[in-house]
């Protein structure tokens, strides 16, 4: 006997079968009373579970992704879990609460209306709508993204939704929207997400107001860290734009949403959807139908950064075809970008038309702009200052950056600029260090993050070591 809902399941074509055992470690394991194929006889079995992989008696493993899951009751065996596909069913009875919490992340539930109360419509898309809902059990608020099954006609669109769900299940990062559960009814598929009620980035940018350098680059650094994680999982997002970036309430960090066009990286470029994204934010290699990799996401972040700094999209046009052509040509007016030299260099590296020369997420995060900011904010104690001085010693005779590069020097105004960075008990000792360095002002003109030398033929290391030793001990 096979459950009728399983026959109609949207996920029937994407349910896996038993495979030879390859796993060697598991997250949980326990002995249960099991029944297979509903009317089979009851027997004891040792079940092991690692993510979505279920193993019975160390013989075979089953990927239970997109199997229907439900809690069942047996008069003799008590409470249990039923896993069901169109061809196979398994029931196991015992202490099942922890197992259900694990398995529901990868399986499909069918009792959405029993568990959630719809409160408000908050958005709409091509295949369905987004609602704010309340969990009837724990009273927490969530967002549910609905898909009307009859509107998803093509096999590619069906595969795209299943892929989106699978990718979201595999990702776990503070900068990515969290998928909690998936449900299915005869008419809809429901994706239950954490609820983020704050504004998306577009709410700020569409006003045409530019952000300051510090704020814009803090946001892009946060997004680059998330995108680096996504890329390390072998995934491309392919639709990064302000609409798909939400601000998390409690941390004010930014969260990437909508993985509907995301895919696993393929060296041959044969993605489920190859030419996709939003004109105005696409990397040009996508629009030119060239083979591409994860760097398409860095280009999109570069466009977002440009937009934050200038208040306008570089490819804006009311005409759709013209917007695509501007995007394909990938020309930028950098005269509108009023930032420091290093900040501009980072932006240009993210927006390079040639993906071979474009920064990766890791290269962007390691850019000297972010390293400089890290050094500026890292000085908290005299011992840390000593480390900074030692680590930058080999740069001591490097040329000074352009005048508008962000830095501050220890000079006559140093007390005003630096005193607030240190605790009161250290301020006196830093004043003494300032004076000692100023005594050698003919030798050094330096700032905390990167010492600069304006003289030659001097044993810099020897003088520096004397200063450090003198003030290193507490």
């Amino acid at each position: 006997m096979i459950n009728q809902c399983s026959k109609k399941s949207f996920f029937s074509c994407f349910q896996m079968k038993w495979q030879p055992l390859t796993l060697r470690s598991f997250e949980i394991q326990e002995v249960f009373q099991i029944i297979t194929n509903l009317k089979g006889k009851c027997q004891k079995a040792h079940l092991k579970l690692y993510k979505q992989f279920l193993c019975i008696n160390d013989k075979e493993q089953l990927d239970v992704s997109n199997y229907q899951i439900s809690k069942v009751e047996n008069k003799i065996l008590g409470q249990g879990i039923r896993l069901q596909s169109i061809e196979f069913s398994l029931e196991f009875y015992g202490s099942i609460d922890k197992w259900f919490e694990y398995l529901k992340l990868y399986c499909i539930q069918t009792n959405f209306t029993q568990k959630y109360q719809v409160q408000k419509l908050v958005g709409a898309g091509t295949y369905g709508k987004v609602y704010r809902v309340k969990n009837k059990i724990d009273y927490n608020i969530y967002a549910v993204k609905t898909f009307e099954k009859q509107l998803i006609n093509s096999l590619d669109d069906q595969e795209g939704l299943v892929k989106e769900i699978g990718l979201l299940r595999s990702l776990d990062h503070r900068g990515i929207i969290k998928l909690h559960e998936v449900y299915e009814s005869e008419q809809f598929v429901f994706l239950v997400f954490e609820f983020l009620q704050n504004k998306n980035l577009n709410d700020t940018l569409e006003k045409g107001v530019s952000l300051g350098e510090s704020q814009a680059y803090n946001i892009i650094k946060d997004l680059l860290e998330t995108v680096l994680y996504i890329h390390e999982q072998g995934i491309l997002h392919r639709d990064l734009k302000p609409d798909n970036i939400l601000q998390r309430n409690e941390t004010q960090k930014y969260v990437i949403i909508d993985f509907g066009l995301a895919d696993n990286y393929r060296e041959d470029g044969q993605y489920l959807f190859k030419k996709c994204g939003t004109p105005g934010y696409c990397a040009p290699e996508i629009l030119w139908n060239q083979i591409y990799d994860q760097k398409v996401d860095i280009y999109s972040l570069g466009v977002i950064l440009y937009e934050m700094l200038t208040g306008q999209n570089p490819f804006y046009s009311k005409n759709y075809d013209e917007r695509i052509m501007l995007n394909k040509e990938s020309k930028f007016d950098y005269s509108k970008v009023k930032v420091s030299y290093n900040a501009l260099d980072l932006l240009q590296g993210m927006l390079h038309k040639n993906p071979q020369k474009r920064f990766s997420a890791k290269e962007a995060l390691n850019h000297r702009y972010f390293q400089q900011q890290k050094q500026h904010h890292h000085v908290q104690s005299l011992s840390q200052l000593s480390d900074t001085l030692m680590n930058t010693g080999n740069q001591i005779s490097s040329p000074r950056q352009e005048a508008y590069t962000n830095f501050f020097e220890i000079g006559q105004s140093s007390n005003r600029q630096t005193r607030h960075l240190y605790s009161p008990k250290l301020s006196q000792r830093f004043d003494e260090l300032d004076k000692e360095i100023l005594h050698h002002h003919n030798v050094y003109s330096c700032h905390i993050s990167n010492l600069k030398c304006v003289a030659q033929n001097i044993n810099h290391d020897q003088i520096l070591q004397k200063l450090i030793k003198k003030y290193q001990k507490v």
Side-chain angles (χ1 to χ4, degrees), residues 42 126 152 253 282 394 439:
C42 179
T126 304
I152 311 176
K253 296 292 186 179
C282 286
N394 61 344
H439 181 69

Side-chain angles (χ1 to χ4, degrees), residues 72-107:
V72 292
E73 290 282 344
N74 184 287
K75 293 181 179 179
I76 300 173
L77 301 175
Q79 194 174 46
I81 293 174
R82 175 183 294 161
L83 295 172
Q84 190 170 358
S85 72
I86 197 169
E87 297 178 343
F88 172 82
S89 71
L90 169 69
E91 294 178 4
F92 55 97
Y93 296 85
S95 180
I96 52 93
D97 289 342
K98 181 166 63 173
W99 285 70
F100 189 85
E101 290 302 310
Y102 269 78
L103 287 166
K104 75 176 185 179
L105 299 176
Y106 303 99
C107 298

Side-chain angles (χ1 to χ4, degrees), residues 448-466:
I448 294 298
S449 65
N450 189 12
L451 296 181
K452 307 294 179 183
C453 177
V454 296
Q456 302 295 330
N457 301 323
I458 297 173
N459 191 332
H460 307 122
D461 291 338
Q462 185 178 1
I463 295 175
L464 196 58
Q465 287 295 333
K466 288 181 179 179

Side-chain angles (χ1 to χ4, degrees), residues 55-284:
C55 171
I56 297 182
N57 293 332
D58 291 324
K59 292 181 179 179
E60 293 178 298
Q61 68 187 38
L62 176 67
D63 183 347
V64 297
S65 297
N66 303 318
Y67 274 53
Q68 289 182 0
I69 185 172
S70 58
K71 289 184 178 180
V72 292
E73 290 282 344
N74 184 287
K75 293 181 179 179
I76 300 173
L77 301 175
Q79 194 174 46
I81 293 174
R82 175 183 294 161
L83 295 172
Q84 190 170 358
S85 72
I86 197 169
E87 297 178 343
F88 172 82
S89 71
L90 169 69
E91 294 178 4
F92 55 97
Y93 296 85
S95 180
I96 52 93
D97 289 342
K98 181 166 63 173
W99 285 70
F100 189 85
E101 290 302 310
Y102 269 78
L103 287 166
K104 75 176 185 179
L105 299 176
Y106 303 99
C107 298
I108 310 300
Q109 300 176 72
T110 58
N111 58 338
F112 176 80
T113 56
Q114 295 176 26
K115 190 171 179 180
Y116 290 97
Q117 177 185 0
V118 176
Q119 292 187 326
K120 183 181 179 181
L121 175 68
V122 295
T126 304
Y127 299 117
K129 299 177 180 179
V130 180
Y131 298 91
R132 186 178 71 182
V133 298
K134 182 172 72 173
N135 187 298
K136 296 178 181 179
I137 300 171
D138 60 22
Y139 303 104
N140 288 328
I141 302 299
Y142 297 89
V144 59
K145 187 176 181 180
T146 65
F147 294 85
E148 193 166 355
K149 292 195 286 188
Q150 68 176 5
L151 298 179
I152 311 176
N153 297 317
S154 73
L155 186 60
D156 280 352
D157 287 340
Q158 294 175 23
E159 186 178 346
L161 177 54
V162 172
K163 184 183 288 288
E164 177 182 2
I165 293 170
L167 293 176
L168 285 166
R169 285 168 173 165
S170 71
L171 297 170
D172 185 13
H173 189 276
R174 62 163 179 78
I176 298 172
I177 190 78
K178 179 67 176 176
L179 175 66
H180 288 285
E181 300 175 311
V182 180
Y183 290 80
E184 181 182 13
S185 68
E186 289 191 6
Q187 188 177 357
F188 295 100
V189 174
F190 306 92
L191 274 58
V192 180
F193 292 94
E194 62 176 318
F195 182 69
L196 301 173
Q197 63 182 5
N198 234 18
K199 298 178 180 178
N200 64 39
L201 189 56
N202 195 51
D203 293 330
T204 301
L205 298 180
E206 68 182 5
K207 298 175 184 178
V209 178
S210 61
L211 305 182
E213 177 182 313
S214 178
Q215 183 181 3
Y217 279 84
N218 282 339
I219 292 173
I220 216 67
K221 181 176 183 291
D222 198 39
L223 294 173
L224 278 168
E225 289 173 348
T226 303
V227 168
L228 174 61
Y229 167 80
I230 294 172
H231 291 176
E232 287 176 340
Q233 313 312 306
I235 296 170
L236 303 79
H237 186 280
R238 300 195 298 179
D239 197 23
L240 293 173
K241 57 185 178 181
D243 281 330
N244 288 340
I245 298 170
L246 298 182
Q247 194 175 40
R248 189 184 296 282
N249 257 354
E250 61 272 18
T251 65
Q252 300 302 302
K253 296 292 186 179
Y254 285 85
V255 178
I256 295 173
I257 67 170
D258 197 347
F259 282 71
L261 295 179
D263 208 337
N264 296 107
Y265 168 66
R266 291 181 58 112
E267 192 172 349
D268 62 5
Q270 299 304 307
Y271 301 106
L272 179 60
F273 306 110
K274 185 177 179 182
K275 193 174 181 180
C276 60
T278 301
Y281 298 94
C282 286

Side-chain angles (χ1 to χ4, degrees), residues 10-41:
F10 176 86
F11 300 94
S12 294
C13 296
F14 305 97
Q15 294 165 341
M16 306 300 292
K17 299 180 180 180
W18 289 99
Q19 300 169 339
L21 182 64
T22 59
L23 296 171
R24 290 293 177 264
S25 61
F26 298 89
E27 292 174 325
I28 54 175
Q29 52 185 303
E30 201 164 338
V31 175
F32 290 99
Q33 296 287 341
I34 72 167
I35 301 175
T36 57
N37 293 330
L38 294 183
K39 289 191 174 181
K41 69 175 184 178

